[in-house]
Amino acid sequence: VILKLNAKANETDISRLVGRLTAMGLQVAVNRGEPGTSLAVVNGLDATVRPDLFIHLPMVEEVTPFNRKFKLASREFKSQRTVVRVKETAIGEGSFTVIAGPCAIESEAQIQAIAEAVAKAGARVLRGGAFKPRTSPYDFQGLGEKGLKFMRQAADANGLLCVSEAMSPEHVPLVAEHVDIVQIGARNMQNFELLKKAGLCRRPVLLKRGLSATYMEFILAAEYLLSFGNPDVILCERGIRTFETYTRNTLDLNAVPVLKNLTHLPIAVDPSHGTGLRDLIRPLARAAFAVGADALMVEVHTDPDAAVSDSQQTIGTEAFREVMKDLTRLGPALGRPLDAKAAPLSKSGADHLGGRVPT
Amino acid sequence: VILKLNAKANETDISRLVGRLTAMGLQVAVNRGEPGTSLAVVNGLDATVRPDLFIHLPMVEEVTPFNRKFKLASREFKSQRTVVRVKETAIGEGSFTVIAGPCAIESEAQIQAIAEAVAKAGARVLRGGAFKPRTSPYDFQGLGEKGLKFMRQAADANGLLCVSEAMSPEHVPLVAEHVDIVQIGARNMQNFELLKKAGLCRRPVLLKRGLSATYMEFILAAEYLLSFGNPDVILCERGIRTFETYTRNTLDLNAVPVLKNLTHLPIAVDPSHGTGLRDLIRPLARAAFAVGADALMVEVHTDPDAAVSDSQQTIGTEAFREVMKDLTRLGPALGRPLDAKAAPLSKSGADHLGGRVPT
Amino acid sequence: VILKLNAKANETDISRLVGRLTAMGLQVAVNRGEPGTSLAVVNGLDATVRPDLFIHLPMVEEVTPFNRKFKLASREFKSQRTVVRVKETAIGEGSFTVIAGPCAIESEAQIQAIAEAVAKAGARVLRGGAFKPRTSPYDFQGLGEKGLKFMRQAADANGLLCVSEAMSPEHVPLVAEHVDIVQIGARNMQNFELLKKAGLCRRPVLLKRGLSATYMEFILAAEYLLSFGNPDVILCERGIRTFETYTRNTLDLNAVPVLKNLTHLPIAVDPSHGTGLRDLIRPLARAAFAVGADALMVEVHTDPDAAVSDSQQTIGTEAFREVMKDLTRLGPALGRPLDAKAAPLSKSGADHLGGRVPT
Amino acid sequence: VILKLNAKANETDISRLVGRLTAMGLQVAVNRGEPGTSLAVVNGLDATVRPDLFIHLPMVEEVTPFNRKFKLASREFKSQRTVVRVKETAIGEGSFTVIAGPCAIESEAQIQAIAEAVAKAGARVLRGGAFKPRTSPYDFQGLGEKGLKFMRQAADANGLLCVSEAMSPEHVPLVAEHVDIVQIGARNMQNFELLKKAGLCRRPVLLKRGLSATYMEFILAAEYLLSFGNPDVILCERGIRTFETYTRNTLDLNAVPVLKNLTHLPIAVDPSHGTGLRDLIRPLARAAFAVGADALMVEVHTDPDAAVSDSQQTIGTEAFREVMKDLTRLGPALGRPLDAKAAPLSKSGADHLGGRVPT
């Protein structure tokens, strides 16, 4: 249930109330939003608790049940849109952030060259895999920690943020140490132990949609992250598995307005994995912006044909500049600037879903 | 095989060559394009014919095999993009045509009111079903010919073209008599007898993608129309069936650049069927334009909640005006005007794939 | 709604009641089953009719609403299983009927040789396509009526029944004239004009499931046949389209018990189309029998590698004998004989869903 | 490449050869099979190695390349079928093993009662989840180690083996300590870090097919296990995600003969998850046996309606006895006994794919 508090409730009132509910064995989250603070009781309700009586608790003005299985991710609980802030970049309502870089970090020189190229063209975040989830055990498995260090240097040297994937619970602290945003890959969207660990880390998480995950399952995976205390979740549509074989996946742009309607989280779109074909990235990048996504994630390489993985869906730096030119032209028509720095600064998002004592 | 002719080949040369090939039992199509004329031998090649010898025929300069099962729809055979012209409207490269109207024609007054509203808002073509393909035999099956007449009047009175579906071979002449564009529905995309009949009719055909048709199957369905002599085919992406259940279908915008790469035909996008949800139509209409589609098809009703079918995916006239406002704003950023009348007039498309004697 | 009649209701009572309901503008079907007769009011109920008052009609003992969109196909309306009888063969509860033959009828000699081989091995019904639904317009389209005649002779000469596909409404009378069972193909499962025509014909219909048809859509397609007056419908599972590409389709054996639970119609299984691979037919034929199907449909050719279509999924006569040997061995363990002649003779099925005046 | 050795090669020859190849930086696996020993070079081949020269190595008689991305799982490398032996039970060719038990271990009493019931009815292996992969973070997450202990006791007390799922790399040693077979769940089929850890453990692994995993991806997931040194892998088909919504998943029985053709591993079938519906389990259990599966996995509970998870797809003990009765009757007709103890004892499978030094 959601407990909407009186506008006069101060921090002491809130923490007293949270303490009281927690003492009842309930799991509670707090949203200090506009207009006013709400508490979500997300777990622990059983036959011994009568939620209708919560209306009699001090400062509680309204008690409403959740409509769906997801709670903290819902707009009922948090009507303002989440803006994920990393340093000076704000991912969320009001701007369009471009994340670019190679599928895999291959060498120090490679990631440096690509970082420089994508930064010049206007990207804000560098992507690159250090731990690679590969279908075959015989394929290149990534450079590991060494790769993360190369990436950090390349990002810093070019004024970029960076994002990389953690593939198992043990990886999370290591990846979080080196990068600004921790990625959970599509194949791990329902690796629940990994989600729990990422929920406990102090970095924003970019969560990719599973190959055949429904919207509900996708949001519930995000709910794992939120319920373990991490409020900074970016959802990423990256193509779903369908009967079609000409493309690697089918990029599902329906997902963007659906997820915007159901959740308050920002949405990224990855047309590289979403199509698997280089030629399709430019038009689908435009479509992702036009449909209302908050960020674009795209695989770029200085020598795409020589990329050790995902070569067919990786564009060169020249093609990436064309993509950026299209997006720059579209920005004004969509009423949204490309430059993330221009986004209005909201209150700190870091605590808006806090209050959980993870078990 | 494709026979590229010498630039000096005149009509007499061409018809002589066609006659000679036809006499060999081959099925031949002609493309009088830029640069120069080509012939396609699409059928009849068997062990008794040696295509390599065609190079010795008069005026033949180059003989190349087809790479795929589809032939007349391929860009190898016809590199210029097809522009489908109906009266003063040109659907194809260089503009964006909006097709709007109710799912089903319900009454004279209903179609009149909707036609007026969508024309005022900027639509160029009126849609509406007179013969309805309904999953259940007990659902409303449409007004039939009476509906077509109501639609014709409503379109004429408001300066619109109109499109309606033919559901069986017998319907084709009747529908073609009343409307400007004959629609083949998704459930009939592989109704081959219907395709043959529509291929023989003298109206442009809007061919909807089947619910689970691959791109190749979709293009081969168009190939039926082309090979039976109808050069004016508009492909329409309308959502595919996937595992997702929140939306009625998953609109596949990958389809637009893929089909543009593989064929020369114009592409329309129908976000109404593609999503099944009213709220998603506006953002996906923008995305359809941005991704490069040539036309938009959208279900509009003056009283959407009272629509006899597809009510959930039908928008009202106010919402339609919002869609048009978005598209108008996007046009300049995409370098493409909304008003179809502004499209540059190309040579008549009516004969570019002619020469077939249907059997 | 379903009107259960008093056990004493005689034919005069029934026809009087049907007349009265029909006069109200309702569409009514009759089931003279065990225990007792029921009427289904399948169409025409609107705000002016109060179904609860039907309980006051003479001989009506119970009025129950339909739970789902399908009505005549439901077990609520007809609890006894339908047995489709053709000459001495009964397809339905209590036996397992094998339908075998080539994908396409290629010549008189070919169909004769195959008919002889499959009859000897124990098949009861000969299959073969005279009108072929082909994805490409350039593929072999079938021998047409000539093929039907060849097939009829081959069937008669070998004591077999025969089944062939009608692809358009005009084909139905022609196909029905020559064969014992009219097939509706998967691509035409929602060709509603074809369904209506087949519903009016006087032959049993074998209805193949569409490539991506849900169970509900499949049953509603059968409902078209039933509601247009044809009670003898055999449903045929033939594989669905999934993400898997190794097989042509994914044979869905869940379908058999699901359809048995929801409907009273007999179910056939086609592992040839369901897998697309010769090697898989034998194990899946066993599975089809074990899961409870009433019939098997399999593509057999005397020279499968030379078959003009579907060669990869067609088995030879020796392999077919192995299939039959497996099935013969399984029969006693499943408590069901292979020989259809042994099935208990039920009351004529021809009139059990009658009473409809098609419009 | 596969190196087929001379029949006279003894253990010294083999280990010398393995040492030589390993020294070249290659990853090698050994198959001591009938007829004769083969080595697989699965990794490390690059431009500096010329595989054709391997023919000159001592005892090497034939060098053949792998046809596909999977190697150790292929029948080219190991033509004899793998039989997974646990204590006196042999899962693989020649018998049919029944694995039964609750979705989740709920209490000591619950698992005891169920173990007793399924053992009496003829099951050989007890299933039950201690770590539960749940779509929502608010659902019951399992009893953890306590559950594993309850299960071990229940299995031992009733002469059963037991199997339970490990959800993260850290779980593997714990789960392996308590159970006989470690399960990798469908959602973790491509959790590659988990696969590596399970590949290193000394227990057989039951690997469930991912919800939308192709056969190739499924086999490559098994290849992770094999290439990390674990030869005892059982593949488990458990239904795939399709467009159909009536059932939870679509059980894909095509998978059984396909996987048998492509690999040497035993195959289990899980109709509980494969259908999600209690009523469908009995017919699909028969079909699984008839199609050639080596094992059946089924959810059974003494009080299915009260099960804390997957209640709808769990059968009661009476229904389970009906399933066993059907299978017992089918055994002789399929030439395969139900009782796993009767299976012919083959040579130890434990070393047949050994030789790897995991990195």
Side-chain angles (χ1 to χ4, degrees):
Chain A
V1 294
I2 303 169
L3 311 183
K4 199 182 153 184
L5 303 193
N6 188 303
K8 291 180 224 147
N10 59 28
E11 284 302 311
T12 316
D13 295 327
I14 294 171
S15 72
R16 210 171 278 166
L17 195 52
V18 168
R20 196 160 158 183
L21 292 163
T22 306
M24 292 171 71
L26 303 176
Q27 184 183 333
V28 180
V30 183
N31 176 34
R32 290 174 184 81
E34 294 303 331
T37 296
S38 297
L39 302 189
V41 178
V42 293
N43 218 350
L45 291 171
D46 56 29
T48 69
V49 184
R50 281 188 47 197
D52 54 318
L53 297 183
F54 290 163
I55 193 70
H56 303 301
L57 288 170
M59 293 296 166
V60 173
E61 284 209 327
E62 203 182 308
V63 177
T64 48
F66 284 106
N67 288 328
R68 303 185 189 261
K69 290 195 102 183
F70 58 92
K71 297 170 186 182
L72 304 184
S74 73
R75 297 189 65 192
E76 299 144 27
F77 175 52
K78 179 166 183 292
S79 57
Q80 340 86 285
R81 304 213 68 84
T82 288
V83 178
V84 172
R85 312 192 154 275
V86 202
K87 296 168 187 168
E88 281 152 46
T89 294
I91 301 173
E93 212 66 343
S95 68
F96 192 66
T97 306
V98 177
I99 305 166
C103 176
I105 304 162
E106 298 167 20
S107 69
E108 190 170 3
Q110 175 243 25
I111 191 75
Q112 275 288 358
I114 294 172
E116 196 183 326
V118 301
K120 264 191 198 152
R124 298 283 304 153
V125 187
L126 181 66
R127 61 148 291 149
F131 299 98
K132 298 300 304 171
R134 302 305 300 269
T135 303
S136 162
Y138 310 123
D139 287 340
F140 176 61
Q141 308 270 322
L143 294 183
E145 185 171 9
K146 200 167 57 173
L148 293 173
K149 287 178 180 163
F150 293 157
M151 176 187 238
R152 180 77 268 167
Q153 290 162 8
D156 288 347
N158 292 282
L160 296 170
L161 301 172
C162 64
V163 56
S164 198
E165 177 170 351
M167 273 176 66
S168 79
E170 304 99 293
H171 290 167
V172 172
L174 180 66
V175 174
E177 185 194 330
H178 291 286
V179 305
D180 302 294
I181 302 172
V182 175
Q183 179 176 319
I184 305 288
R187 281 166 190 75
N188 278 320
M189 192 202 81
Q190 292 194 317
N191 181 340
F192 300 113
E193 297 301 313
L194 176 59
L195 292 173
K196 290 174 186 174
K197 203 67 183 264
L200 295 169
C201 90
R202 297 272 148 235
R203 293 279 182 207
V205 173
L206 184 136
L207 176 67
K208 294 198 127 187
R209 182 179 181 188
L211 274 75
S212 65
T214 63
Y215 302 138
M216 291 303 147
E217 289 168 342
F218 191 16
I219 300 173
L220 281 166
E223 187 83 12
Y224 264 92
L225 296 165
L226 298 172
S227 79
F228 274 74
N230 194 333
D232 290 319
V233 177
I234 303 159
L235 302 173
C236 182
E237 160 61 31
R238 45 75 73 209
I240 54 171
R241 183 157 281 183
T242 66
F243 59 82
E244 182 60 62
T245 56
Y246 186 86
T247 49
R248 182 176 176 185
N249 292 295
T250 299
L251 189 70
D252 171 16
L253 290 182
N254 286 7
V256 178
V258 168
L259 295 170
K260 291 241 152 188
N261 285 350
L262 294 174
T263 84
H264 48 79
L265 300 168
I267 325 279
V269 169
D270 173 354
S272 301
H273 288 86
T275 66
L277 294 175
R278 222 177 265 181
D279 283 359
L280 306 188
I281 290 169
R282 190 175 168 187
L284 285 159
R286 290 195 307 260
F289 195 7
V291 87
D294 301 294
L296 179 77
M297 188 170 206
V298 61
E299 291 191 341
V300 179
H301 198 288
T302 42
D303 185 0
D305 292 325
V308 299
S309 58
D310 284 355
S311 166
Q312 280 207 310
Q313 72 193 36
T314 300
I315 57 174
T317 51
E318 177 52 31
F320 179 61
R321 281 191 291 274
E322 296 294 321
V323 168
M324 293 304 295
K325 211 182 295 175
D326 279 5
L327 299 178
T328 308
R329 219 176 298 154
L330 275 176
L334 296 166
R336 294 166 56 207
L338 246 200
D339 185 4
K341 291 182 195 170
L345 209 69
S346 78
K347 281 193 268 174
S348 162
D351 63 343
H352 55 185
L353 289 172
R356 186 178 187 275
V357 184
T359 49
Chain B
V1 294
I2 303 168
L3 312 184
K4 197 181 152 185
L5 303 193
N6 189 302
K8 292 181 222 146
N10 59 27
E11 285 302 312
T12 315
D13 295 326
I14 295 170
S15 72
R16 211 171 278 166
L17 195 51
V18 169
R20 197 159 157 183
L21 292 162
T22 307
M24 292 170 70
L26 304 176
Q27 184 183 335
V28 180
V30 183
N31 176 34
R32 290 175 185 80
E34 294 302 329
T37 296
S38 297
L39 301 190
V41 178
V42 293
N43 219 351
L45 290 171
D46 57 30
T48 67
V49 184
R50 280 187 50 196
D52 55 316
L53 297 183
F54 289 164
I55 193 69
H56 302 302
L57 288 171
M59 292 295 165
V60 173
E61 285 207 328
E62 204 183 307
V63 177
T64 48
F66 283 106
N67 288 328
R68 302 184 189 264
K69 289 194 101 180
F70 58 91
K71 297 169 185 180
L72 303 185
S74 73
R75 296 187 66 192
E76 299 143 27
F77 175 52
K78 178 164 183 293
S79 56
Q80 340 86 288
R81 303 214 68 84
T82 288
V83 178
V84 172
R85 313 191 154 276
V86 200
K87 294 168 187 168
E88 280 152 48
T89 295
I91 301 173
E93 212 67 342
S95 66
F96 193 65
T97 306
V98 178
I99 305 166
C103 176
I105 304 161
E106 299 167 18
S107 69
E108 189 169 6
Q110 174 243 26
I111 192 73
Q112 275 288 357
I114 294 173
E116 196 183 327
V118 301
K120 264 190 198 153
R124 298 284 303 151
V125 186
L126 181 66
R127 62 148 289 151
F131 299 98
K132 298 301 303 169
R134 302 307 300 269
T135 303
S136 162
Y138 310 122
D139 288 339
F140 175 61
Q141 309 272 322
L143 294 184
E145 186 172 8
K146 199 168 59 174
L148 293 173
K149 287 179 179 164
F150 292 158
M151 176 187 238
R152 182 74 267 168
Q153 290 162 7
D156 289 346
N158 292 282
L160 297 169
L161 302 172
C162 64
V163 56
S164 198
E165 177 171 351
M167 274 177 65
S168 79
E170 305 98 293
H171 289 166
V172 173
L174 181 66
V175 174
E177 183 194 330
H178 290 286
V179 305
D180 302 294
I181 303 172
V182 175
Q183 179 176 319
I184 305 288
R187 281 166 188 75
N188 279 320
M189 192 202 81
Q190 292 193 317
N191 181 339
F192 300 114
E193 297 301 313
L194 175 59
L195 292 174
K196 290 174 187 173
K197 202 67 183 264
L200 294 170
C201 90
R202 298 270 148 235
R203 293 280 183 204
V205 173
L206 184 135
L207 176 67
K208 294 198 128 188
R209 182 179 180 188
L211 275 75
S212 64
T214 63
Y215 302 138
M216 290 304 147
E217 289 168 342
F218 191 14
I219 300 174
L220 281 166
E223 186 82 12
Y224 264 92
L225 295 165
L226 298 173
S227 79
F228 274 73
N230 194 334
D232 290 320
V233 177
I234 303 159
L235 302 173
C236 182
E237 160 61 32
R238 44 75 73 209
I240 54 171
R241 182 158 280 185
T242 67
F243 58 82
E244 182 61 61
T245 56
Y246 186 86
T247 48
R248 181 176 177 185
N249 293 297
T250 299
L251 190 69
D252 172 16
L253 290 182
N254 286 7
V256 177
V258 168
L259 295 170
K260 290 240 153 188
N261 285 349
L262 294 174
T263 83
H264 49 80
L265 300 169
I267 325 281
V269 169
D270 172 353
S272 301
H273 289 85
T275 65
L277 294 174
R278 224 177 264 181
D279 283 359
L280 306 188
I281 289 168
R282 190 174 167 189
L284 285 159
R286 290 195 307 263
F289 194 7
V291 87
D294 301 294
L296 178 77
M297 188 170 205
V298 61
E299 291 190 343
V300 179
H301 198 287
T302 41
D303 185 359
D305 292 325
V308 298
S309 58
D310 285 355
S311 166
Q312 280 207 308
Q313 71 193 35
T314 300
I315 57 175
T317 52
E318 177 53 32
F320 180 61
R321 280 190 292 272
E322 296 294 322
V323 168
M324 293 304 294
K325 212 183 292 175
D326 280 5
L327 299 178
T328 307
R329 218 177 298 152
L330 275 175
L334 295 166
R336 293 166 55 208
L338 245 199
D339 186 2
K341 291 183 194 166
L345 208 69
S346 78
K347 280 194 268 175
S348 163
D351 63 343
H352 55 182
L353 288 171
R356 185 178 188 277
V357 184
T359 49
Chain C
V1 295
I2 303 168
L3 312 184
K4 198 182 152 185
L5 304 194
N6 189 303
K8 292 180 225 146
N10 59 28
E11 284 302 311
T12 315
D13 295 326
I14 294 170
S15 72
R16 210 172 276 166
L17 195 52
V18 168
R20 196 158 158 185
L21 292 163
T22 306
M24 293 170 71
L26 304 176
Q27 184 184 334
V28 180
V30 183
N31 176 34
R32 290 173 184 80
E34 292 303 328
T37 295
S38 296
L39 301 189
V41 178
V42 292
N43 218 350
L45 290 171
D46 57 29
T48 67
V49 184
R50 281 188 49 197
D52 55 315
L53 297 183
F54 289 164
I55 193 68
H56 303 301
L57 288 170
M59 292 296 166
V60 173
E61 286 209 326
E62 204 181 308
V63 177
T64 48
F66 283 107
N67 288 328
R68 304 186 188 262
K69 290 194 101 181
F70 58 91
K71 297 168 185 181
L72 303 185
S74 73
R75 296 187 65 193
E76 301 144 26
F77 175 52
K78 178 165 185 291
S79 56
Q80 339 88 286
R81 304 213 69 83
T82 288
V83 178
V84 172
R85 311 190 157 277
V86 201
K87 294 168 189 168
E88 280 151 48
T89 295
I91 300 174
E93 212 68 340
S95 67
F96 192 65
T97 306
V98 178
I99 305 166
C103 176
I105 303 161
E106 299 167 19
S107 69
E108 190 170 4
Q110 174 243 24
I111 192 73
Q112 275 288 358
I114 295 172
E116 194 182 329
V118 301
K120 264 190 198 152
R124 298 284 302 153
V125 186
L126 180 66
R127 61 148 289 151
F131 299 98
K132 297 301 303 171
R134 302 306 299 270
T135 303
S136 162
Y138 311 123
D139 288 339
F140 175 61
Q141 309 271 322
L143 293 184
E145 185 171 9
K146 199 168 58 173
L148 294 173
K149 287 178 180 165
F150 293 158
M151 176 187 239
R152 180 76 268 165
Q153 288 162 8
D156 288 347
N158 292 282
L160 296 170
L161 302 173
C162 63
V163 56
S164 197
E165 177 170 351
M167 274 177 65
S168 79
E170 305 97 293
H171 289 167
V172 172
L174 180 66
V175 174
E177 184 194 330
H178 291 286
V179 304
D180 301 294
I181 303 172
V182 175
Q183 180 175 318
I184 306 288
R187 281 166 189 75
N188 278 321
M189 192 203 82
Q190 291 194 318
N191 180 341
F192 301 113
E193 297 302 312
L194 176 59
L195 292 173
K196 290 174 187 174
K197 203 67 183 264
L200 295 170
C201 90
R202 297 270 149 237
R203 293 280 182 206
V205 173
L206 184 136
L207 177 66
K208 294 199 128 188
R209 182 180 181 187
L211 274 75
S212 65
T214 63
Y215 302 138
M216 290 305 146
E217 290 167 341
F218 190 16
I219 300 174
L220 280 166
E223 187 82 12
Y224 263 92
L225 296 166
L226 298 172
S227 79
F228 273 74
N230 194 333
D232 289 319
V233 177
I234 304 159
L235 302 173
C236 182
E237 159 62 32
R238 45 76 73 208
I240 56 172
R241 182 158 280 185
T242 67
F243 58 82
E244 182 61 61
T245 56
Y246 187 86
T247 48
R248 181 176 178 185
N249 293 296
T250 298
L251 190 70
D252 172 16
L253 291 182
N254 286 7
V256 177
V258 168
L259 295 170
K260 290 240 153 188
N261 285 350
L262 294 173
T263 83
H264 49 78
L265 300 169
I267 325 281
V269 169
D270 173 353
S272 301
H273 289 86
T275 66
L277 294 174
R278 223 177 264 181
D279 283 0
L280 306 188
I281 290 168
R282 190 175 166 187
L284 285 158
R286 289 196 307 262
F289 193 7
V291 87
D294 301 293
L296 178 79
M297 189 170 206
V298 61
E299 292 190 342
V300 179
H301 198 287
T302 42
D303 185 359
D305 293 324
V308 298
S309 58
D310 285 356
S311 166
Q312 280 207 309
Q313 71 193 35
T314 299
I315 57 175
T317 50
E318 177 53 30
F320 179 61
R321 280 190 292 272
E322 295 295 322
V323 168
M324 294 303 295
K325 212 183 292 175
D326 280 5
L327 299 178
T328 307
R329 220 177 296 153
L330 276 174
L334 295 166
R336 294 165 56 208
L338 248 199
D339 186 3
K341 291 183 195 169
L345 208 70
S346 79
K347 280 193 269 174
S348 163
D351 64 343
H352 56 183
L353 289 172
R356 185 178 190 276
V357 184
T359 50
Chain D
V1 294
I2 303 168
L3 311 185
K4 198 182 154 185
L5 304 194
N6 188 302
K8 292 179 223 148
N10 59 27
E11 284 302 310
T12 315
D13 296 327
I14 294 170
S15 71
R16 210 172 277 167
L17 196 52
V18 169
R20 197 159 157 184
L21 292 163
T22 307
M24 293 170 71
L26 304 176
Q27 184 183 334
V28 180
V30 183
N31 176 32
R32 290 174 185 80
E34 295 302 332
T37 296
S38 297
L39 302 188
V41 179
V42 292
N43 218 351
L45 290 171
D46 57 28
T48 68
V49 184
R50 280 188 49 197
D52 54 318
L53 297 184
F54 289 164
I55 193 69
H56 302 301
L57 288 171
M59 292 296 165
V60 173
E61 285 208 328
E62 203 182 308
V63 178
T64 48
F66 283 107
N67 288 328
R68 303 186 189 261
K69 290 194 103 184
F70 58 92
K71 297 168 185 183
L72 303 185
S74 73
R75 296 188 66 192
E76 299 143 29
F77 175 52
K78 180 166 183 292
S79 56
Q80 340 86 283
R81 303 213 70 84
T82 287
V83 178
V84 172
R85 310 189 155 277
V86 203
K87 294 169 188 167
E88 281 152 46
T89 295
I91 301 174
E93 212 65 342
S95 67
F96 193 65
T97 306
V98 178
I99 306 166
C103 176
I105 304 161
E106 299 167 19
S107 70
E108 191 169 3
Q110 174 242 23
I111 192 74
Q112 275 287 358
I114 294 172
E116 196 183 327
V118 301
K120 264 190 199 153
R124 298 284 303 153
V125 188
L126 181 65
R127 62 148 289 150
F131 299 98
K132 297 302 302 171
R134 301 305 300 270
T135 303
S136 162
Y138 310 123
D139 287 339
F140 175 61
Q141 308 271 321
L143 294 184
E145 185 172 9
K146 200 167 58 173
L148 293 173
K149 286 179 181 164
F150 293 158
M151 176 187 239
R152 180 77 268 165
Q153 290 162 6
D156 288 346
N158 292 282
L160 295 171
L161 302 172
C162 63
V163 56
S164 198
E165 177 170 350
M167 273 177 64
S168 79
E170 304 99 292
H171 289 166
V172 172
L174 181 66
V175 174
E177 185 193 330
H178 291 286
V179 305
D180 302 295
I181 303 172
V182 175
Q183 180 175 318
I184 305 287
R187 281 166 189 76
N188 279 320
M189 192 202 81
Q190 292 194 317
N191 180 341
F192 300 114
E193 297 301 313
L194 176 58
L195 292 174
K196 290 174 187 174
K197 203 65 183 266
L200 294 169
C201 90
R202 297 271 151 237
R203 293 280 183 208
V205 173
L206 184 135
L207 176 67
K208 294 198 128 187
R209 182 180 180 187
L211 275 75
S212 65
T214 62
Y215 302 138
M216 291 303 147
E217 290 168 342
F218 191 15
I219 299 173
L220 280 166
E223 186 83 12
Y224 264 91
L225 296 165
L226 297 173
S227 79
F228 274 72
N230 194 333
D232 289 319
V233 177
I234 304 159
L235 302 173
C236 182
E237 160 61 33
R238 44 76 73 210
I240 55 171
R241 182 157 281 183
T242 66
F243 58 82
E244 181 60 61
T245 56
Y246 187 85
T247 49
R248 183 177 176 185
N249 293 296
T250 299
L251 189 70
D252 172 15
L253 291 182
N254 286 7
V256 177
V258 168
L259 295 170
K260 291 240 153 189
N261 285 350
L262 293 174
T263 84
H264 49 79
L265 300 168
I267 325 280
V269 168
D270 174 353
S272 301
H273 289 86
T275 65
L277 294 174
R278 222 177 266 182
D279 283 0
L280 306 188
I281 290 169
R282 190 175 168 187
L284 284 159
R286 288 196 306 262
F289 194 7
V291 87
D294 301 294
L296 178 78
M297 189 170 206
V298 61
E299 292 191 341
V300 179
H301 198 288
T302 42
D303 186 358
D305 292 326
V308 298
S309 58
D310 284 355
S311 166
Q312 280 207 309
Q313 70 194 35
T314 300
I315 57 174
T317 51
E318 176 54 30
F320 179 61
R321 281 190 290 274
E322 296 294 322
V323 168
M324 293 304 294
K325 211 182 295 174
D326 279 4
L327 299 178
T328 308
R329 218 176 298 153
L330 275 175
L334 295 165
R336 294 166 56 208
L338 244 200
D339 185 5
K341 291 183 196 169
L345 209 69
S346 78
K347 280 194 270 175
S348 162
D351 63 343
H352 55 183
L353 289 172
R356 186 179 189 277
V357 184
T359 50

